[in-house]
Amino acid sequence: MPGVVSQKAGSAAARGAHNGTDRAESGGRFSARTRLAAALASGVAAMHPFAAHAQSGGSDLFGAWEVIQLAVFIGTTGAAMLSAIWLIRERTRTADENIDLRERLSQSGALLQRTESLLNLNDQKVVVWMNEAGKPEVVGSLPADTGVPEERGAFLAFGRWLKPNSAAELENALTELRENSRPFDLVVATRDNTLLEAQGRCSPVSRVLRFELLSAAREEHARLRLEHQFVANEREMLLGLADALAMPIWMRHPDGTLRWVNHAYAAAVEARSPEAAVEEGKEFLGTQSRDAIAHQQKTEAAFAGKLSTVVGGDRRVFAVTDHATAAGSAGIAVDVSDTESVREQSERMARSHAHTLDQLNTAIAIFDSGRKLRFFNQAFQKLWELDIGFLESAPEHALVLDRLRSEGKLAEQPEWRRWKETLLEAYRAVDSQEHWWHLPDGRTVRVVANPQANGGVTWIFENLTEQIDLESRYKTAVRVQGETLDNLAEGVAVFGSDGVARLSNPAFARLWGLDDKQAEAGTHISAIRDLCAARARENPWSDFVAAATGFDDERRDRQGQVELVDGSVLRYAVIHLPNGQVMITFVDITDSVNVERALKDKNEALQRADQLKNDFVQHVSYELRSPLTNISGFAELLAMETTGPLNARQREYVEHIGSSSTVLHTIINDILDLATVDAGIMELEIGEVQVDGLVKEAAEAIGERLREHHLTLEIDSAAAPASFHADEQRVRQILFNLLSNAANFAPEGSTVRLAARGVDEGIEFSVHDDGPGMPDEVLETVFNRFEPRPKRGRRRGAGLGLSIVKSFVELHGGSVDIETGTGAGTTVICRFPAAPQGIRAAAE
């Protein structure tokens, strides 16, 4: 059989080549062509179709014609090699055989040329590596339209003319061939989509790579095999990738049962392995979720949605994508629980920020990268008074500006278009921009454009009208205060908590005898203390230093005065201000102190004189009582019948002496009572007083005088309480003085009215006469002591009656009022509490 013969010839050629190689090493006389012929013989023997058929398991890529070609090639090559070996052996025997050897070598060369011709005719190209370090030899050629370069260096750069996948696969196979002697059979594709068969074989002395152009039938078969291999590789890669992903992936049969799952799926369903999960039919999604997927796939091949399931005891949310075909379905689940949590948190934060911004008084508007309004707060709508519907329609920024301009809310610009373009450059800017808008209605708005990372801009509109107005008024107030302080007669100095002077006015320097530089702002309080120490009799500046720079217990407000060595007196006040500073004020009170001293001296003199008067009156009153008692007694004795008869004139004189003594006695008692009140030693004997009895006794005591002047006493006590608590003797004396005063001024034949009635405070007594009344100038001094009115009353008195009434009533805690008018009579009203709580000192 030709194939077997060729295979044997190849083996013999290989053996001959091996022996020839040994001879050549010993003699060193083989040529490169001889070595290449040996390598080709051994390589071709390895590439024999039957050998390749045995190695590849019966590949049918070679046809009959290729087998014949290879057989001829192998036979020719083997014969050449045998001839070469024989010639070499014979050369050493005799020199006469050299001519014959040259002829045989010529024949071997001719055989090699014919072998190369056969290779070239067969569209093959062979690369031979004789050793690891040597350069490879290239034999043969391929058609130019295959895209294979003819130049040796370019041809050996397989990556330049092979497709990347084919080049990588070939390089890996060559590495295995050269390092591990592992043969290979590949089909590679050039960049021109030409398919070549690449075979790699090894022999004891070389490594051979052969490229052969495939026929049309073999090329089609190779393409199919490549496509199948590509699909298989692609499936293997995809399955490997799917198995490596940390997200559950599954494939199902058309009936819905599991076909394949990855490790993440098995871990999620707590299976031992993916195979166990498939075998046990453990489902990742619940029945309801799978039904939802199947229902949607009735109308759409792909399902995409978020479904929840329990993994590891926790319910989590997955973004599930499942695609169904006639061959089954495949799905993937991506855990988006954390993403959903972050999204919900982001949405809550966005709502919170929006709510916070909505509560601000500063107007804020946010425009996106398309310059459309996406957010505005209430302050923005209130500032510009724009329609809510218009703002919620997401208008463009330019449209908002045009709307504000058309409504007269923006000031007219000389070049509106350029102004607007300049403003909108904020959307292309990196840093914040600031503008000041002076609106037609007088408002001033500070506009800040803050670019965002997403291309949008946050606009802040701060209405500074009130702030500017307040700042202007503040500056005006500061100037006014400065002018006021500079023109004050009162010295003012303000020190900070560090003791440094903040301000002072000229009066401060003038009062302490300092020049302007010594008291200017920036001077430390200790320096001022040293300058003022010699000007004061008792220096208070140590306390001022402690107040300005001390701790909290020392920082308290205080007042005082200091006397200077020149006799001036300054009153100072230390006041702690809210900002931590201390203000010290000084007022020159020299004149006031001098006047006060004079007034004190005069007051002390008056008090001594008044005390002397009181002592004199009290002493004289007591001294007059004894002789007055004697006079009254002797007058009564003379009026008695037992003493002796008196004529009418004598009796009148005696009666006059007695009445005068009684009046004088009453005056002395009144003076003593007032002196007791003034001394503060009078004590009331409070007890229950019967109103009817009190009124009756007072009427009997004044009855003689009333009859003397033909006066009638009218008493009204029906509305009075039965009793009240007071000093009965003093109340009787009060009523007697009131009735005596009324009898003195009431006209002849008139009526004097005494009334008593209960009031909320207690009881009220009133005495009315129809006398001439009192003018206003008399009413002002009616309660003064020793104020007689002889021109209006019948009798001249000491002017103590109403003074005693007022003092006794006020001692009871009551009050006295007078209602009078010229020609309208006089009513004196005394009010007493129902139960006095204490004794009050009578007013002077």
Side-chain angles (χ1 to χ4, degrees):
M1 296 177 60
V4 177
V5 174
S6 298
Q7 185 175 6
K8 290 180 179 180
S11 298
R15 288 194 300 271
H18 181 69
N19 295 329
T21 302
D22 294 339
R23 294 285 183 90
E25 289 177 356
S26 62
R29 310 177 91 179
F30 280 109
S31 64
R33 181 173 292 277
T34 304
R35 290 195 300 272
L36 178 59
L40 286 173
S42 60
V44 170
M47 296 178 186
H48 189 275
F50 291 108
H53 178 78
Q55 293 176 1
S56 62
S59 175
D60 55 354
L61 294 178
F62 296 96
W65 176 246
E66 285 79 2
V67 173
I68 294 172
Q69 288 180 340
L70 285 175
V72 174
F73 171 74
I74 291 170
T76 306
T77 304
M81 294 301 298
L82 291 174
S83 299
I85 293 170
W86 180 79
L87 287 173
I88 292 172
R89 288 179 178 177
E90 291 298 326
R91 183 179 182 184
T92 58
R93 294 179 181 179
T94 176
D96 297 336
E97 296 177 355
N98 288 340
I99 297 173
D100 187 29
L101 179 60
R102 290 191 188 95
E103 292 178 355
R104 293 182 181 276
L105 287 175
S106 298
Q107 295 175 357
S108 298
L111 291 174
L112 289 174
Q113 290 179 358
R114 288 194 294 273
T115 302
E116 289 186 6
S117 299
L118 291 174
L119 289 174
N120 292 335
L121 291 174
N122 204 24
D123 295 333
Q124 301 181 31
K125 200 153 189 164
V126 181
V127 182
V128 180
W129 288 269
M130 297 302 298
N131 53 60
E132 292 295 333
K135 294 183 178 180
E137 297 290 340
V138 180
V139 180
S141 63
L142 292 171
D145 58 356
T146 59
V148 179
E150 289 294 331
E151 196 270 328
R152 178 178 177 278
F155 170 75
L156 292 176
F158 303 125
R160 296 183 180 179
W161 53 277
L162 289 177
K163 288 187 176 181
N165 293 337
S166 297
E169 190 175 6
L170 179 61
E171 291 291 345
N172 293 334
L174 284 176
T175 301
E176 291 294 326
L177 175 67
R178 298 181 65 183
E179 294 180 359
N180 301 323
S181 300
R182 183 176 298 171
F184 62 86
D185 290 279
L186 299 175
V187 176
V188 296
T190 67
R191 295 183 181 272
D192 294 339
N193 294 322
T194 300
L195 295 181
L196 301 176
E197 182 181 15
Q199 289 183 328
R201 296 293 183 267
C202 60
S203 68
V205 296
S206 64
R207 303 292 185 267
V208 180
L209 170 64
R210 185 184 71 169
F211 291 99
E212 182 181 3
L213 184 64
L214 299 178
S215 62
R218 295 174 62 197
E219 182 177 357
E220 182 64 25
H221 182 77
R223 288 187 185 276
L224 292 176
R225 192 176 69 173
L226 282 177
E227 290 178 1
H228 178 73
Q229 183 179 359
F230 175 78
V231 171
N233 293 340
E234 188 178 51
R235 182 177 184 276
E236 183 179 0
M237 287 188 298
L238 291 177
L239 290 179
L241 176 62
D243 197 45
L245 291 177
M247 55 189 69
I249 301 176
W250 62 89
M251 289 191 295
R252 299 181 184 274
H253 295 289
D255 59 356
T257 58
L258 291 174
R259 175 191 297 175
W260 178 90
V261 298
N262 65 349
H263 281 83
Y265 184 103
V269 298
E270 300 179 357
R272 298 187 310 275
S273 63
E275 292 77 11
V278 174
E279 182 179 353
E280 297 173 6
K282 289 191 174 184
E283 292 292 347
F284 174 73
L285 298 174
T287 304
Q288 186 175 0
S289 299
R290 297 198 307 274
D291 292 343
I293 295 175
H295 182 269
Q296 181 171 338
Q297 288 179 345
K298 292 180 179 178
T299 57
E300 299 179 8
F303 170 86
K306 293 179 180 179
L307 300 174
S308 63
T309 187
V310 177
V311 177
D314 297 329
R315 180 163 293 279
R316 305 186 67 83
V317 179
F318 290 83
V320 177
T321 303
D322 193 283
H323 186 269
T325 63
S329 63
I332 183 172
V334 181
D335 190 351
V336 295
S337 301
D338 296 337
T339 305
E340 287 293 308
S341 177
V342 172
R343 183 184 60 80
E344 292 176 0
Q345 183 178 1
S346 176
E347 291 178 354
R348 287 194 301 269
M349 185 176 296
R351 290 193 298 268
S352 176
H353 288 175
H355 180 72
T356 301
L357 294 177
D358 207 36
Q359 303 300 317
L360 295 179
N361 293 326
T362 302
I364 298 176
I366 300 177
F367 292 82
D368 60 13
S369 58
R371 303 183 182 182
K372 290 185 177 295
L373 180 63
R374 295 305 179 190
F375 172 81
F376 64 92
N377 61 355
Q378 294 182 5
F380 179 83
Q381 192 275 332
K382 183 178 179 181
L383 174 66
W384 301 113
E385 297 179 351
L386 294 173
D387 182 61
I388 294 292
F390 170 72
L391 295 176
E392 291 180 349
S393 64
E396 291 187 355
H397 197 169
L399 182 60
V400 174
L401 294 175
D402 293 336
R403 180 77 170 267
L404 293 176
R405 180 195 182 193
S406 63
E407 295 181 0
K409 296 175 182 177
L410 289 180
E412 286 295 335
Q413 303 295 329
E415 296 183 12
W416 169 257
R417 185 183 299 277
R418 179 176 297 179
W419 180 86
K420 184 169 64 174
E421 291 177 353
T422 302
L423 184 67
L424 296 180
E425 286 179 357
Y427 291 93
R428 298 185 296 273
V430 178
D431 299 326
S432 299
Q433 297 182 1
E434 181 176 334
H435 307 275
W436 290 82
W437 292 358
H438 301 283
L439 306 183
D441 57 3
R443 293 181 296 176
T444 301
V445 178
R446 175 174 172 261
V447 182
V448 178
N450 186 21
Q452 298 178 353
N454 59 359
V457 177
T458 299
W459 295 85
I460 303 174
F461 303 87
E462 188 176 2
N463 189 357
L464 299 180
T465 306
E466 294 183 2
Q467 180 178 344
I468 294 175
D469 182 58
L470 288 174
E471 184 178 356
S472 176
R473 286 189 288 176
Y474 171 76
K475 292 181 179 178
T476 303
V478 169
R479 289 194 297 269
V480 170
Q481 291 176 358
E483 292 296 329
T484 303
L485 288 175
D486 291 344
N487 292 278
L488 282 178
E490 180 179 2
V492 179
V494 178
F495 299 91
S497 58
D498 54 356
V500 177
R502 296 294 188 266
L503 62 88
S504 63
N505 64 347
F508 170 77
R510 185 181 69 254
L511 291 175
W512 285 97
L514 305 174
D515 56 33
D516 294 339
K517 292 185 178 180
Q518 291 175 334
E520 66 181 358
T523 305
H524 199 270
I525 190 172
S526 59
I528 298 177
R529 176 195 60 191
D530 298 338
L531 294 172
C532 297
R535 294 179 172 87
R537 298 185 186 275
E538 296 181 0
N539 188 15
W541 279 95
S542 298
D543 296 337
F544 296 162
V545 172
T549 62
F551 297 101
D552 293 340
D553 55 344
E554 298 176 348
R555 296 175 62 85
R556 60 181 183 273
D557 296 347
R558 65 189 72 175
Q559 294 181 351
Q561 64 184 35
V562 57
E563 185 175 356
L564 305 185
V565 294
D566 59 358
S568 301
V569 179
L570 302 180
R571 178 177 295 163
Y572 65 83
V574 179
I575 303 171
H576 289 84
L577 303 177
N579 59 356
Q581 298 178 349
V582 176
M583 180 178 67
I584 306 176
T585 61
F586 300 91
V587 180
D588 188 354
I589 59 171
T590 305
D591 296 339
S592 300
V593 170
N594 293 335
V595 171
E596 182 180 357
R597 291 172 180 172
L599 290 176
K600 284 183 178 179
D601 294 342
K602 184 177 181 180
N603 185 53
E604 291 176 355
L606 291 175
Q607 288 179 351
R608 288 193 298 271
D610 186 67
Q611 183 65 34
L612 181 62
K613 180 198 69 172
N614 291 335
D615 294 342
F616 172 76
V617 171
Q618 185 175 5
H619 179 72
V620 170
S621 298
Y622 279 106
E623 292 298 327
L624 289 177
R625 180 171 291 182
S626 296
L628 182 59
T629 302
N630 294 334
I631 292 173
S632 299
F634 286 125
E636 291 179 357
L637 183 61
L638 289 175
M640 295 176 62
E641 294 293 338
T642 57
T643 305
L646 297 174
N647 56 30
R649 183 175 293 275
Q650 290 175 341
R651 186 170 296 278
E652 181 181 357
Y653 289 161
V654 171
E655 291 178 356
H656 185 68
I657 292 171
S659 61
S660 297
S661 299
T662 302
V663 172
L664 183 59
H665 190 272
T666 301
I667 293 174
I668 293 173
N669 288 336
D670 290 343
I671 291 174
L672 291 176
D673 289 339
L674 289 175
T676 304
V677 171
D678 291 341
I681 59 176
M682 176 171 283
E683 295 182 0
L684 298 179
E685 298 180 0
I686 304 297
E688 187 175 1
V689 180
Q690 299 296 324
V691 175
D692 290 339
L694 178 66
V695 172
K696 183 177 180 181
E697 291 176 0
E700 291 177 353
I702 200 63
E704 184 62 29
R705 291 186 63 182
L706 294 177
R707 288 190 294 272
E708 180 181 355
H709 301 292
H710 307 287
L711 298 176
T712 303
L713 178 60
E714 180 180 317
I715 299 174
D716 181 11
S717 61
S723 63
F724 70 103
H725 289 80
D727 188 335
E728 184 174 357
Q729 180 182 352
R730 300 305 178 186
V731 176
R732 186 185 303 112
Q733 188 175 354
I734 291 171
L735 294 180
F736 178 78
N737 286 348
L738 292 178
L739 292 174
S740 298
N741 188 70
N744 190 32
F745 290 96
E748 292 280 345
S750 63
T751 301
V752 176
R753 298 176 182 86
L754 171 61
R757 66 188 184 92
V759 294
D760 295 338
E761 297 83 2
I763 188 171
E764 178 182 284
F765 293 95
S766 63
V767 176
H768 175 76
D769 66 79
D770 296 331
M774 289 182 284
D776 293 338
E777 61 273 12
V778 176
L779 186 62
E780 293 177 357
T781 61
V782 69
F783 292 109
N784 293 345
R785 300 174 184 178
F786 306 107
E787 289 289 340
R789 288 168 290 277
K791 295 182 180 181
R792 293 181 179 271
R794 295 185 179 88
R795 295 183 179 183
R796 176 184 176 84
L800 298 176
L802 291 178
S803 298
I804 292 176
V805 168
K806 186 175 184 294
S807 297
F808 286 175
V809 171
E810 291 180 350
L811 279 176
H812 282 81
S815 62
V816 180
D817 291 327
I818 297 179
E819 296 178 357
T820 184
T822 304
T826 302
T827 302
V828 181
I829 303 172
C830 298
R831 299 180 181 89
F832 294 87
Q837 299 297 323
I839 300 175
R840 295 175 55 191
E844 289 292 332

